[in-house]
Amino acid sequence: SSVSPQIGSYKDVSHESLSLFWLLEPRIEILVLGTGDRVERLHPATLKQMRDCGIAVEVQDTPNACATFNFLTSENRMVAAGLIPP
């Protein structure tokens, strides 16, 4: 079994660091990523790999990502969040 890498900033978000999210059961449909104080651009290939696994990715600053996660949860959507503290 492998250990997930430490995520210190949005620059550490990779296909490997997101692998946990496509192993979850039941399967999630949306991953909300909070990138800290600001919305940061993730590598397009990383986002494509998640879409190819059937998971939509919403990238926002962390306060908005928390609000989005709560809203989607209230709608009974299958959602997970990866949050980097602001």
Side-chain angles (χ1 to χ4, degrees):
S1 100
S2 65
V3 175
S4 292
Q6 294 293 316
I7 304 295
S9 82
Y10 74 95
K11 295 176 184 155
D12 300 322
V13 176
S14 66
H15 182 69
E16 181 186 4
S17 68
L18 296 177
S19 63
L20 163 73
F21 292 107
W22 64 81
L23 299 174
L24 295 175
E25 288 292 335
R27 298 227 6 131
I28 63 168
E29 55 182 306
I30 303 168
L31 172 61
V32 181
L33 288 177
T35 55
D37 289 322
R38 302 181 331 189
V39 178
E40 303 287 357
R41 290 177 53 88
L42 299 183
H43 197 284
T46 301
L47 298 175
K48 181 182 183 318
Q49 288 165 330
M50 292 301 285
R51 284 193 310 270
D52 290 347
C53 292
I55 299 172
V57 180
E58 183 69 38
V59 181
Q60 300 177 333
D61 61 81
T62 298
N64 282 313
C66 290
T68 298
F69 174 82
N70 289 336
F71 174 76
L72 292 169
T73 300
S74 75
E75 291 193 326
N76 297 316
R77 303 290 295 272
M78 296 306 296
V79 60
L83 305 169
I84 297 171

